[in-house]
Amino acid sequence: MISDINNNFPDEASSDENVEKYSLNGISLAEKHAQAQAQKNLLARKRIDELREKKRLKDLLDDSEDW
């Protein structure tokens, strides 16, 4: 009966390997998430810059009518 209970639990060595494997996967998932977020931030910054440039050009054009 006791041997049946012990057989249901993984060995300590294999659980250490699983922890190592999952932590490595966690790091790569975190890196992928960080890269995706960085890409979104880059696209957002580019869009903001485009809108600022468009506004700047519009303001210049509007100012030129006053002349």
Side-chain angles (χ1 to χ4, degrees):
M1 179 106 181
I2 293 176
S3 64
D4 291 338
I5 293 172
N6 289 336
N7 288 337
N8 291 334
F9 292 105
D11 294 337
E12 285 183 28
S14 65
S15 67
D16 289 342
E17 290 171 5
N18 287 338
V19 168
E20 223 173 277
K21 182 177 87 173
Y22 290 127
S23 65
L24 289 176
N25 285 339
I27 290 171
S28 64
L29 288 176
E31 287 175 353
K32 287 180 185 178
H33 180 69
Q35 287 176 350
Q37 188 63 45
Q39 183 66 27
K40 287 178 184 178
N41 291 347
L42 182 66
L43 291 173
R45 174 56 56 195
K46 184 177 179 182
R47 180 67 178 142
I48 289 168
D49 289 343
E50 289 172 357
L51 291 172
R52 283 184 177 164
E53 180 66 10
K54 184 176 178 180
K55 183 178 186 245
R56 186 185 72 81
L57 292 173
K58 183 181 180 302
D59 289 345
L60 285 175
L61 185 63
D62 289 344
D63 286 345
S64 67
E65 291 177 6
D66 294 337
W67 290 46

